[in-house]
Amino acid sequence: VSDASGCSMIALLHTGAAKFPPNLLSRSRQAVSLLFPAGVLERFCSIVSRKLASHGFGASMAAMSSFPPQRYHYFLVLDFEATCDKPQIHPQEIIEFPILKLNGRTMEIESTFHMYVQPVVHPQLTPFCTELTGIIQGMVDGQPSLQQVLERVDEWMAKEGLLDPSVKSIFVTCGDWDLKVMLPGQCQYLGLPVADYFKQWINLKKAYSFAMGSWPKNGLLDMNKGLNLQHIGRPHSGIDDCKNIANIMKTLAHRGFIFKQTSKPF
C-alpha cells in the first residue's frame, strides 16, 4: 500500500464495508493480516492522513475515494442578491456577493468570500427587497461599490490559487441569471469589464435535471426535497443559498454524478 486510497481499501476490508463475496472478503482479510502485522497498517495510514491534512486534504481517506473524481479542482458557488421591487426596478444592482470555494475532490467548503455591496442608482432598498432577501439598509450603506468588490474578488481568487493556469475551477449558480444577465448587465451599465472567469459556469438546475431526470421548477427547494435534504438558512439569502447549492452538489457527487459546464462560451 503506497497511498491514501490503498489505506481506504484495506480499511474497507477490515470493516466489511466493501461489497465483496464472503469467501473473498475472508481471504482478503487474511492476506492483509499477513502483509501487515498488528498496528503497522494503522500507524502507516495515520501518518498518510496527517500528511494529507498538512497539504489541505482534510477529508477522511474513505470519503475521498467514495465517489468518482470531478473534472475540476474547485467549484466556486455563487448566488447574488440584487435590488428589486414589484414592479421590477431598472437597473437592478447586486447587493450581496457571496462565493464558496468547494474542493472538487472532497466536495467540502475550503474558503468563503462574502461582501455586501452599496447600490448607487437606487441606493434606498425597497421594503419588498428587504422582506425577500433579509438585507436591511444598514447592511449596504457605506459598503464598497461593485467595482471595489470585483477588485477584492480578484484578490481573493489570486490568494486562493484560483488564477493559476494549472488549477481548473468553474463557477456554479442556481440558474443562468447571475452570470448571464445580472453581472454582465450591471457591468455594462457601469462601464466595468467582466473577468474571463465569470464567463463560464455550471447551472445547478441543469445538472440536477441531468442527474435526477426532473426539472426543479422551484429551484433549491425542489432540489433539496428531491434529495431528502434539509434547507439551510433562509431562502433568498445569498450566502445561505450558496450553502444549499454546495450541499446539493456534494450529495449528487456522492451519488456518482460528474459536473460539467452548462453555459455556452461567450
Side-chain angles (χ1 to χ4, degrees), residues 7 20 26 67-68 79 82 128 132 147 169 175 179 205 233 248 261:
C7 288
F20 294 115
S26 177
F67 55 90
D79 190 274
F128 175 84
L132 180 71
Q147 180 177 358
S169 65
L179 293 178
K205 292 180 182 178
I248 290 164
Q261 178 178 331

Side-chain angles (χ1 to χ4, degrees), residues 17-259:
K19 295 180 179 179
F20 294 115
N23 60 334
L24 179 58
L25 183 59
S26 177
R27 289 200 299 270
S28 299
R29 283 172 171 165
Q30 289 172 5
V32 169
S33 297
L34 289 172
L35 285 169
F36 298 94
V40 172
L41 177 63
E42 288 76 7
R43 287 195 297 273
F44 173 78
C45 289
S46 176
I47 292 168
V48 172
S49 296
R50 290 198 300 271
K51 289 288 186 183
L52 286 170
S54 71
H55 287 84
F57 296 98
S60 72
M61 292 177 289
M64 289 165 64
S65 61
S66 64
F67 55 90
Q70 296 291 330
R71 295 184 170 193
Y72 296 91
H73 297 112
Y74 297 101
F75 297 104
L76 305 176
V77 179
L78 176 149
D79 190 274
F80 295 138
E81 298 305 324
T83 53
C84 53
D85 202 2
K86 280 192 173 182
Q88 189 59 272
I89 56 177
H90 297 284
Q92 284 188 273
E93 299 169 86
I94 295 168
I95 54 175
E96 185 180 5
F97 204 128
I99 307 172
L100 299 181
K101 179 188 176 189
L102 202 64
N103 186 305
R105 185 170 180 177
T106 66
M107 301 305 287
E108 299 291 343
I109 298 168
E110 284 195 354
S111 181
T112 301
F113 178 92
H114 186 213
M115 293 189 71
Y116 291 99
V117 190
Q118 169 99 43
V120 294
V121 182
H122 301 287
Q124 193 70 30
L125 301 183
T126 65
F128 175 84
C129 182
T130 293
E131 183 180 352
L132 180 71
T133 65
I135 299 172
I136 62 174
Q137 191 66 40
M139 294 165 72
V140 297
D141 283 346
Q143 295 301 310
S145 65
L146 180 64
Q147 180 177 358
Q148 292 169 322
V149 171
L150 289 173
E151 289 170 356
R152 295 190 189 182
V153 169
D154 202 65
E155 292 169 359
W156 178 78
M157 295 275 287
K159 180 175 70 73
E160 295 293 329
L162 297 166
L163 302 184
D164 184 336
S166 66
V167 175
K168 292 184 67 177
S169 65
I170 190 168
F171 278 90
V172 183
T173 57
C174 185
D176 291 322
W177 174 83
D178 299 82
L179 293 178
K180 187 175 183 179
V181 177
M182 187 61 237
L183 182 63
Q186 189 178 357
C187 284
Q188 183 179 29
Y189 183 88
L190 296 173
L192 302 174
V194 178
D196 285 342
Y197 45 71
F198 287 126
K199 296 180 179 179
Q200 49 276 319
W201 64 89
I202 294 169
N203 178 345
L204 184 64
K205 292 180 182 178
K206 290 181 180 178
Y208 178 90
S209 69
F210 296 152
M212 302 295 289
S214 62
W215 183 261
K217 293 181 181 179
N218 295 311
L220 293 173
L221 296 176
D222 280 358
M223 288 186 272
N224 276 328
K225 184 177 179 181
L227 295 169
N228 295 314
L229 298 174
Q230 286 285 344
H231 191 87
I232 300 168
R234 61 163 288 156
H236 302 296
S237 157
I239 190 66
D240 286 348
D241 284 352
C242 284
K243 292 174 184 177
N244 281 286
I245 292 170
N247 200 29
I248 290 164
M249 291 183 69
K250 181 178 180 179
T251 302
L252 291 176
H254 276 280
R255 293 186 177 199
F257 185 74
I258 306 296
F259 289 92

